[in-house]
Amino acid sequence: SGRKGKHLKDLKHLIYFENLLEDANNELVRQAQADGNIVLGYTCYHIPEVLLNVDNCISVRLRAPKTGSLDISTYYMSNYTCDYARALVERAIEGGYQFLDALIGVDACSVMNRSMEHFEVLKVNSKEKFFVTHTDMPLKVTDYYIDAYTTQMREHVLNRLTETFGVDTSDEALRKAVAEHNEVCRILTEIGQFRKEENPRITGYEYHILNLVSYCCPKYLIVGKLRETLEELRQREPDVKPRFRVKIAVVGSEIDDPGFTKLVEDAGALVVVDRFCFGSTPGREEIHLDPDLPVLESIARHYLNTSQCPRFMQREKVDGRWQLVRDLCAEYHAQGVLYEQLKFCEYWGYERALASHVVTSEFGIPSVAVDRQNATGGSGQLRTRVQAFVESLEIKQLQTQRGGK
């Protein structure tokens, strides 16, 4: 409700942004294609988003909004696999990704790999030049792996785009893409700063919408409205009486459904920081190009160094993942951590169990771990778990205030 002085005033563009997220092939993607742009789908942070926005290319991080039954994809991929990967195959078979010009895939996990293979095998896109490319992902970040990763980005991504569509992938074109990318990152980072306030002037749900839009829509068509929203937030008054009971961080596998954040916040927990795939940490930091390195290598290093994927086995990366969560909780004043994983997600299954233990027993930050379906909007079980966590955080808060433990 937009009553002045009582509650947060509604953001002018929020409904417009929500509507854009109703369809992978939204009106801005269609407009960009009409403008002569090449639309590239991708699913993973391991593919540098900035490379897919070089020259006349635009990136769309693939989602399958309003997913119904997964019967057909389950027939192809079995019941015991991540339903994000299945939802993509289901939507592809329905013809939902006919608009793509190419799919830039990664061999990050076996299920997503199979999902990408089905895009090829089942010929779900009838465009003559459509292709799916696969790239290998390193498990460690060392000079050898950075070199291999950089080579693959050149061979499997940039060179394929040049050969197929005549895309300019020169250093100059890459620098321009980085500059445009950084502009969007600056806006979202500044908006994210408001989440650190004692009584934040933006909800986690609103931020989730803004951030998702920046992944799923052409940057050049969305940047103006994102900038307007930032201006609006600079003037926005927070709620007189906060509507949340506690503040939390959400950490885990990809959340492309803002309904999840809404469910958590409706249960009383304001999401003040996100550390999940499709989120802003990592994802919305500026890329600083090293003048002493080739541009592509500099980009590759940025993505490998900032990536928090639980697939990385290196000791420094494992410790770094836990320490980042601890540091984010301190920086954004989160009282607890909600670790979430998509059901059957192999990597996050291990990470969630160990990380929630470490965060609580070693760092002293309360945590709860849940597994969830890809579309979570109406999950009563999840709501109950979050409500119980909120109550336990409130009790802890009262004990601290009384000088107890």
Side-chain angles (χ1 to χ4, degrees):
S1 60
R3 280 183 302 157
K4 199 168 180 201
K6 276 279 197 194
H7 289 315
L8 288 174
K9 195 161 176 264
D10 295 339
L11 291 176
K12 180 177 155 192
H13 296 305
L14 193 70
I15 292 172
Y16 173 73
F17 290 145
E18 286 172 332
N19 289 338
L20 286 174
L21 295 173
E22 291 285 294
D23 184 6
N25 186 18
N26 61 55
E27 63 178 84
L28 296 186
V29 172
R30 295 196 294 271
Q31 187 187 326
Q33 229 161 9
D35 290 346
N37 289 289
I38 289 149
V39 178
L40 306 173
Y42 76 118
T43 61
C44 181
Y45 186 78
H46 277 114
I47 287 290
E49 179 186 11
V50 71
L51 297 184
L52 309 189
N53 289 279
V54 68
D55 193 18
N56 62 334
C57 294
I58 61 156
S59 65
V60 173
R61 197 146 177 182
L62 278 196
R63 298 167 62 247
K66 298 185 290 195
T67 298
S69 143
L70 295 177
D71 289 355
I72 299 170
S73 55
T74 302
Y75 166 77
Y76 283 106
M77 294 179 69
S78 104
N79 223 342
Y80 303 104
T81 54
C82 150
D83 60 352
Y84 169 58
R86 274 187 286 154
L88 294 181
V89 171
E90 190 79 28
R91 184 59 49 88
I93 292 168
E94 293 165 1
Y97 301 126
Q98 284 282 3
F99 70 96
L100 291 178
D101 291 302
L103 179 61
I104 312 298
V106 290
D107 295 353
C109 72
S110 54
V111 177
M112 190 49 77
N113 196 357
R114 284 177 62 197
S115 175
M116 303 282 171
E117 284 175 349
H118 282 97
F119 271 70
E120 289 181 289
V121 174
L122 301 173
K123 298 187 168 48
V124 299
N125 185 302
S126 53
K127 288 188 179 180
E128 195 187 328
K129 290 184 172 181
F130 177 80
F131 66 86
V132 179
T133 181
H134 298 273
T135 47
D136 250 343
M137 289 302 117
L139 292 162
K140 293 180 175 180
V141 182
T142 62
D143 285 344
Y144 169 80
Y145 286 110
I146 289 168
D147 186 48
Y149 178 74
T150 307
T151 304
Q152 290 203 63
M153 291 303 132
R154 173 62 71 191
E155 295 292 327
H156 294 305
V157 181
L158 297 180
N159 288 355
R160 284 293 295 271
L161 292 174
T162 305
E163 288 158 15
T164 312
F165 304 112
V167 173
D168 174 9
T169 59
S170 64
D171 281 4
E172 192 184 341
L174 289 176
R175 284 181 201 279
K176 184 168 177 282
V178 168
E180 287 167 0
H181 176 85
N182 283 351
E183 187 180 2
V184 171
C185 292
R186 271 193 297 275
I187 293 168
L188 282 160
T189 300
E190 191 174 334
I191 292 174
Q193 298 301 310
F194 297 130
R195 303 171 83 186
K196 297 177 182 177
E197 295 171 337
E198 190 180 343
N199 181 9
R201 67 185 79 183
I202 183 169
T203 66
Y205 171 75
E206 288 168 334
Y207 189 82
H208 199 168
I209 294 278
L210 298 176
N211 198 33
L212 267 182
V213 161
S214 75
Y215 281 118
C216 302
C217 299
K219 309 272 185 294
Y220 77 101
L221 292 175
I222 209 72
V223 70
K225 284 192 169 63
L226 288 174
R227 201 180 291 110
E228 274 180 49
T229 305
L230 169 59
E231 290 303 329
E232 200 181 340
L233 282 161
R234 283 181 179 146
Q235 313 300 324
R236 195 190 209 189
E237 295 288 328
D239 281 340
V240 178
K241 184 174 182 294
R243 278 188 281 179
F244 58 90
R245 291 157 61 187
V246 295
K247 294 178 180 180
I248 64 164
V250 174
V251 183
S253 45
E254 68 89 32
I255 308 180
D256 68 2
D257 172 21
F260 177 86
T261 306
K262 194 164 188 10
L263 181 149
V264 170
E265 296 200 318
D266 285 348
L270 184 74
V271 178
V272 287
V273 64
D274 51 82
R275 177 27 321 265
F276 47 74
C277 313
F278 270 96
S280 62
T281 316
R284 288 294 167 251
E285 302 86 354
E286 285 185 62
I287 298 171
H288 299 290
L289 294 176
D290 185 332
D292 300 328
L293 290 175
V295 180
L296 184 58
E297 186 188 330
S298 204
I299 291 170
R301 281 179 182 272
H302 170 86
Y303 280 88
L304 289 178
N305 287 332
T306 54
S307 177
Q308 298 293 321
C309 183
R311 192 175 173 277
F312 284 111
M313 306 296 187
Q314 213 170 351
R315 188 72 243 178
E316 299 90 330
K317 277 289 200 185
V318 176
D319 290 343
R321 288 199 289 273
W322 303 337
Q323 288 156 3
L324 178 71
V325 171
R326 178 196 64 196
D327 297 346
L328 288 173
C329 285
E331 192 183 341
Y332 287 84
H333 315 294
Q335 295 153 260
V337 180
L338 171 71
Y339 269 99
E340 53 75 31
Q341 70 160 98
L342 281 168
K343 205 169 181 181
F344 305 120
C345 175
E346 213 169 302
Y347 297 124
W348 274 107
Y350 290 113
E351 178 72 7
R352 178 193 99 173
L354 187 52
S356 61
H357 169 75
V358 169
V359 159
T360 301
S361 64
E362 291 185 23
F363 301 154
I365 304 168
S367 68
V368 65
V370 300
D371 63 0
R372 45 172 272 267
Q373 306 296 127
N374 185 39
T376 42
S379 168
Q381 188 186 3
L382 189 61
R383 187 176 289 108
T384 307
R385 294 286 306 279
V386 177
Q387 283 167 339
F389 185 49
V390 169
E391 280 163 28
S392 72
L393 289 175
E394 285 183 315
I395 292 165
K396 194 173 172 61
Q397 209 173 345
L398 286 171
Q399 288 171 338
T400 309
Q401 285 163 358
R402 290 179 187 151
K405 287 208 167 173

